[in-house]
Amino acid sequence: MTDAPLSLRERKKRATKAALSEAALRLAADHGVEHVTVEAISHAVGVSPRTFFNYFDSRDDAFTMIDAEIAQRVRDAVEAAPPALSALDAVIEALADELAHVGARQDVWALRAEVLNRAPHLLARSLGAHMADELAMAAAIARRLGPPPDGAGEDGEGPGLYPHLLAAVAGTAVRVAIEHWSRHTGDEPIPAVFRRVCAHLAAGLPDPPTGA
Amino acid sequence: MTDAPLSLRERKKRATKAALSEAALRLAADHGVEHVTVEAISHAVGVSPRTFFNYFDSRDDAFTMIDAEIAQRVRDAVEAAPPALSALDAVIEALADELAHVGARQDVWALRAEVLNRAPHLLARSLGAHMADELAMAAAIARRLGPPPDGAGEDGEGPGLYPHLLAAVAGTAVRVAIEHWSRHTGDEPIPAVFRRVCAHLAAGLPDPPTGA
């Protein structure tokens, strides 16, 4: 995510990639994942299979890698956020910006959940991608925070406890916000639900005054 | 979890169930999940297949349902915790008590991760069980908090935002603590790592002073 508006070229690339994912999911919902081919997905979007492979390494990536680019943009935004922001606030702002776009594609996300739930190997693949994104996010947060003053991290391998926790909790916050919003769609835009979730987190999760 | 010590009968039941899960995982690691039968699992533990089915509804449950009872005990403890505790503290205390037992079985948990990663249908099944546990935990938290003062929850369906968030974040806190502890085993008991995670959460996730 950058402050500059997206170039036309970048917009077109994102639109093509999104269309390929959506076509893959619709074909899978209609015919079953095992009957979906790269040729059929490409044909549905009006591009060649060669073009498909410019966007995805495999058929299965079209089902599962919708959010890999989003994760990369969020990481870049976290590292580029003003130094005055806490790491938590940097993560919240980056995610809220991306979530503004998710609302417009609720049907695709619902379709994806349906397809993944019926295809365990895709669910496992998606979970693996999510875990890789989480570690990459933890690394971005650790870079933003800088090394501890004594010159040595607490960890020989893997991210420190706080960066790992913040990355994981941010993912959980997004999931809870999306699930809540899916049940109450129309009431409140998704970034607003997400900011309510984050207000609970930033306050240290005290009992809510209303019990709800 | 209760304050009273476990009865001998309850201890024996837990030990048998744990032995069945462990035998299932060791057989799967050695021979592949698809070659593991209920007969072989039962034989390894010295019980009958009939006894196996007193503990698990299916072979696959022996791989994935290790934590279903733990989740039930945690929910019971959350609801039974002293009213003076916040919901967050009630959840933390309940989980820290259970995590004290997890440390002794690190090899089994590592084996389980290995088996699930090689068998997507088991990973999907485990994820489904985890999501069901999360919803049940959210419901227990909502009961503990009581209905909001105006007599109506904010939600027609599903748990309210705060109970759902606290249940999900608690699961994330456990996962992060276990992953961190697995990388640094021996340095610090797992409940201590978990309490450090929870201290970050209760403080509202401010930037850590050390950057780590």
Side-chain angles (χ1 to χ4, degrees), chain B residues 99-192:
Chain B
L99 284 171
H101 304 294
V102 169
R105 297 188 68 201
Q106 190 190 3
D107 55 338
V108 180
W109 287 89
L111 199 59
R112 180 169 180 248
E114 190 190 315
V115 169
L116 293 196
N117 280 334
R118 277 195 268 148
H121 76 284
L122 292 182
L123 192 64
R125 193 181 180 95
S126 179
L127 196 63
H130 178 78
M131 291 293 111
D133 285 340
E134 181 180 292
L135 282 178
M137 177 73 143
I141 292 166
R143 282 193 298 274
R144 179 179 174 85
L145 288 168
D150 62 5
E154 59 171 327
D155 288 56
E157 4 161 12
L161 186 61
Y162 178 85
H164 186 186
L165 176 64
L166 179 52
V169 167
T172 300
V174 167
R175 176 171 66 79
V176 168
I178 291 179
E179 288 175 7
H180 188 82
W181 168 82
S182 298
R183 286 198 306 270
H184 306 269
T185 185
D187 300 356
E188 198 182 8
I190 191 164

Side-chain angles (χ1 to χ4, degrees), chain A residues 85-88 120-125 127 130-131 134-135 142 145-149 152-166 168-169 172-173 175-177 179-180 183-184 193 196-198 200-212, chain B residues 85-88 120-125 127 130-131 134-135 142 145-149 152-166 168-169 172-173 175-177 179-180 183-184 193 196-198 200-212:
Chain A
L85 286 188
S86 70
L88 175 64
H121 76 284
L122 292 182
L123 193 63
R125 193 182 179 93
L127 197 63
H130 179 76
M131 290 294 109
E134 182 179 292
L135 283 179
L145 288 168
E154 60 171 327
D155 287 57
E157 5 162 11
L161 186 61
Y162 178 85
H164 186 185
L165 176 63
L166 179 53
V169 168
T172 300
R175 176 171 66 80
V176 168
E179 287 175 9
H180 189 83
R183 288 198 307 272
H184 304 270
V193 179
R196 279 207 291 141
V197 164
C198 293
H200 285 297
L201 291 172
L205 291 166
D207 283 3
T210 64
Chain B
L85 286 188
S86 68
L88 175 63
H121 76 284
L122 292 182
L123 192 64
R125 193 181 180 95
L127 196 63
H130 178 78
M131 291 293 111
E134 181 180 292
L135 282 178
L145 288 168
E154 59 171 327
D155 288 56
E157 4 161 12
L161 186 61
Y162 178 85
H164 186 186
L165 176 64
L166 179 52
V169 167
T172 300
R175 176 171 66 79
V176 168
E179 288 175 7
H180 188 82
R183 286 198 306 270
H184 306 269
V193 179
R196 279 207 290 142
V197 164
C198 293
H200 284 299
L201 291 172
L205 292 166
D207 283 3
T210 64

Side-chain angles (χ1 to χ4, degrees), chain B residues 2-90:
Chain B
T2 65
D3 292 323
L6 293 176
S7 69
L8 181 59
R9 184 184 152 80
E10 179 63 22
R11 277 170 196 271
K12 280 186 177 173
K13 279 174 61 180
R14 283 202 202 173
T16 304
K17 188 162 186 175
L20 287 166
S21 271
E22 188 173 336
L25 291 168
R26 292 201 188 282
L27 287 165
D30 288 347
H31 306 291
V33 166
E34 67 281 14
H35 297 116
V36 178
T37 62
V38 167
E39 286 68 25
I41 299 168
S42 309
H43 181 75
V45 173
V47 301
S48 67
R50 188 189 163 116
T51 298
F52 175 96
F53 288 110
N54 287 339
Y55 291 93
F56 297 105
D57 288 337
S58 70
R59 181 202 68 165
D60 284 355
D61 277 358
F63 301 118
T64 55
M65 298 300 280
I66 306 185
D67 32 13
E69 273 184 14
I70 298 177
Q72 177 67 57
R73 289 199 299 272
V74 169
R75 290 196 293 275
D76 292 348
V78 165
E79 289 201 69
L85 286 188
S86 68
L88 175 63
D89 283 334

Side-chain angles (χ1 to χ4, degrees), chain A residues 2 20 23 29 35 77 86 89 107 116 147 150 153 165 169 175 187 199 207:
Chain A
T2 64
L20 286 166
H35 297 117
S86 70
D89 283 334
D107 54 338
L116 294 196
D150 63 4
L165 176 63
V169 168
R175 176 171 66 80
D187 301 356
D207 283 3

Side-chain angles (χ1 to χ4, degrees), chain A residues 19-64:
Chain A
L20 286 166
S21 270
E22 187 173 337
L25 290 168
R26 291 200 189 283
L27 287 164
D30 289 347
H31 306 291
V33 166
E34 67 281 14
H35 297 117
V36 178
T37 61
V38 168
E39 287 68 26
I41 299 168
S42 309
H43 180 75
V45 173
V47 302
S48 67
R50 187 189 164 116
T51 298
F52 176 95
F53 286 110
N54 287 338
Y55 291 93
F56 297 107
D57 288 337
S58 71
R59 181 201 67 164
D60 284 356
D61 277 357
F63 300 119
T64 56

